[in-house]
Amino acid sequence: MSFFNSAPQIYSDFAVVCAAVCVVSALVLAVCLRGAGWLLWAACLVPLFLLGRMYATVGAPPFYAMDVLAAFALLSTLHTWGPRVFSEKRLRWFRAAALGLAVMTCQAVYRGMGAGYPEALKGVILGLYPVLGWCAATWFLARPAEEAVRWRWVLYVPAAGVLLMRVLDAPLPAAAWGLYLAIAGAFGTQLRLRGNSRLLLWTLAGAALMTAIASKRGPLLAVVAAIAATTVAGRTYHRRAVRLPVLSWGIASVAVFGVLGFTLSGQDVSHMPVVGGLVTRVSRSHDTSTEAGANVELRLQMWQEAFREVREDPLLGAGAGHPIEVVGHGRRLNAPRAGPHNSFVGYVYYLGWPAGIAMVLLVAATLRRTWRARHHPAAASWFGATVGVALTAFTNVAFETTYIGLPSWLVLACAYALVGVPRGDEEAGGVPLAAVPAGRGAPAGHFRSGTGSLRPAPPAVPAGSATPAMPVSS
């Protein structure tokens, strides 16, 4: 490990090499292979899940290698999704919101650059990723479900990325990996409920390792919330009793006895392996004299300051890149380029109240649509994944930064698109659409039939591509 500590430049060199290999290989494949769309999306997101910020920031702001691959993935499949991009009914309101955010972002970036705000051009992400999500979701709707099933292995990559960061002794942005693991955990929970625990076991192992490396509250909460939400949403799906998505009763019992052992032996619970640092951080959250408590206080002050500044121009916001200055205890508390650490507040702050309200309504509509179709396993998984994204967005800059923003928007777009809206037509090629229960009082959602099996079809690109939901066999 001393080699890596003494030569941090190797991290960026490694990420540059990986990005160059992925870009060149993906472009060659896009020219040579007919089904290059899946490969390009995998080349975009697999390195992201393995290297996180090191890979996501390769390029020239605000356009990175990851964004180039995403754009080429869409361009290589334009003939598939292009004719439907403005006519797809399931994306009608998402399309309107994405275009509205793009327009609001243009004026915010222009004003930010004119005012000389730091990294104002980076604000392009605020409007670019919603548009990418809209186009990607349109493409995913046009693909048969069985194609996505073959790419299930991508869901195992986030936990492998945490392990790689540990081996390299590299910095671990816990918020990003918490989001990746939350998405994988949502789909792994449904597989667990169907009798296949491997993905969930691997994801929970990655979450435990992440907690041991970086004892952060928000990222672990996102993972737990995504798994719990998927469990609750899928609890009535053709089963009399809920099968809890835990490792096993044996391992759960060991954990309980471990906590009791530390308590009864007089040792401090903070000394426990893996979760000791997290327990300490949670226990000190109320004490503003500690780093854990000051972190909570700082976020609250940043949100208040953001709302105060946006009063000057509530319709257009403060402009992209506008720094938030919070002063407390006689000193400046936040970094000069720090955002409000809340994506919902961030959209209000940078783009104005109309954009912020649109963001909140979009997330609420996605949760409502997936909940109403929760009797279908794929819809339950997307509900859980959206919950994980929403929690991450509430405590971090989830929707407006590179290595969290693209997966977040892909999840939101595809979860919004794939459930909850009826369709009466049949897809080209004679593949019928199967009706799926959408909850009491809700219209039946229609999904591509695919293979006709009962297993859920995880996304080809776990961070945001959706697999069209599989029908319920009679």
Side-chain angles (χ1 to χ4, degrees):
M1 299 304 170
S2 59
F3 172 75
F4 291 103
N5 292 331
S6 61
Q9 184 62 32
I10 195 172
Y11 300 144
S12 58
D13 293 342
F14 183 51
V16 170
V17 171
C18 288
V21 171
C22 289
V23 171
V24 173
S25 301
L27 295 181
V28 171
L29 290 171
V31 175
C32 300
L33 298 179
R34 180 180 179 183
W38 298 108
L39 293 171
L40 285 165
W41 278 114
C44 171
L45 292 174
V46 167
L48 176 66
F49 295 156
L50 283 175
L51 299 170
R53 181 167 52 193
M54 292 189 298
Y55 167 75
T57 54
V58 173
F63 304 105
Y64 304 92
M66 179 183 67
D67 301 325
V68 172
L69 284 169
F72 272 104
L74 293 173
L75 290 175
S76 66
T77 56
L78 181 62
H79 63 283
T80 302
W81 60 269
R84 301 175 55 176
V85 69
F86 284 103
S87 60
E88 176 55 62
K89 295 180 180 179
R90 280 175 282 189
L91 285 167
R92 178 177 55 185
W93 293 111
F94 190 96
R95 177 170 60 243
L99 292 175
L101 291 176
V103 172
M104 296 297 293
T105 298
C106 290
Q107 63 83 22
V109 171
Y110 176 79
R111 293 168 56 219
M113 294 180 65
Y117 295 145
E119 297 186 355
L121 188 60
K122 191 177 177 181
V124 169
I125 293 173
L126 296 167
L128 175 64
Y129 284 168
V131 173
L132 284 177
W134 157 41
C135 297
T138 308
W139 176 69
F140 296 139
L141 285 173
R143 306 312 305 155
E146 56 268 22
E147 284 189 11
V149 176
R150 293 196 294 268
W151 295 84
R152 182 182 299 175
W153 61 270
V154 177
L155 292 165
Y156 291 84
V157 178
V162 178
L163 180 61
L164 180 62
M165 291 297 101
R166 180 60 176 171
V167 171
L168 296 178
D169 197 22
L172 180 76
W177 262 277
L179 174 70
Y180 309 155
L181 292 169
I183 297 167
F187 286 93
T189 299
Q190 277 299 336
L191 293 177
R192 161 63 181 168
L193 295 175
R194 309 291 297 279
N196 184 349
S197 300
R198 285 175 297 180
L199 175 60
L200 184 61
L201 289 173
W202 181 244
T203 302
L204 291 177
L209 182 58
M210 176 192 70
T211 304
I213 298 174
S215 300
K216 299 292 186 179
R217 296 158 293 192
L220 183 62
L221 177 61
V223 177
V224 172
I227 292 175
T230 305
T231 303
V232 172
R235 72 187 187 279
T236 59
Y237 179 67
H238 291 308
R239 64 179 65 86
R240 295 180 180 179
V242 178
R243 297 174 60 185
L244 297 177
V246 295
L247 294 175
S248 69
W249 283 112
I251 298 179
S253 300
V254 169
V256 172
F257 283 118
V259 174
L260 291 176
F262 265 82
T263 304
L264 297 177
S265 64
Q267 299 187 51
D268 197 311
V269 179
S270 63
H271 295 156
M272 289 185 63
V274 180
V275 299
L278 181 65
V279 171
T280 302
R281 192 173 181 85
V282 171
S283 64
R284 295 178 179 176
S285 297
H286 66 282
D287 188 356
T288 57
S289 64
T290 64
E291 188 273 338
N295 194 286
V296 175
E297 182 186 28
L298 174 60
R299 277 175 165 78
L300 294 175
Q301 291 186 24
M302 285 193 293
W303 301 347
Q304 294 173 359
E305 181 65 17
F307 286 133
R308 188 190 67 79
E309 291 202 22
V310 82
R311 291 175 188 171
E312 299 179 4
D313 201 338
L315 293 180
L316 300 179
H322 195 302
I324 295 180
E325 296 186 5
V326 177
V327 178
H329 306 290
R331 60 187 180 87
R332 187 172 183 169
L333 297 180
N334 58 315
R337 298 180 180 181
H341 282 273
N342 183 314
S343 286
F344 303 108
V345 175
Y347 269 86
V348 173
Y349 178 59
Y350 295 122
L351 307 185
W353 275 102
I357 293 173
M359 270 294 305
V360 173
L361 292 178
L362 206 56
V363 173
T366 304
L367 291 171
R368 179 176 179 269
R369 290 158 70 90
T370 48
W371 177 257
R372 293 174 73 186
R374 64 190 179 278
H375 297 294
H376 194 278
S381 294
W382 283 112
F383 176 77
T386 305
V387 168
V389 168
L391 278 177
T392 303
F394 189 77
T395 58
N396 288 281
V397 285
F399 285 111
E400 65 267 31
T401 193
T402 54
Y403 49 96
I404 310 180
L406 184 60
S408 297
W409 275 109
L410 289 174
V411 165
L412 195 65
C414 295
Y416 185 94
L418 291 174
V419 294
V421 177
R423 297 186 62 191
D425 60 320
E426 289 188 352
E427 297 295 331
V431 180
L433 295 173
V436 178
R440 184 176 62 182
H446 289 72
F447 299 88
R448 190 182 309 278
S449 62
T451 59
S453 62
L454 276 175
R455 62 181 179 176
V461 184
S465 62
T467 188
M470 309 290 282
V472 178
S473 301
S474 56

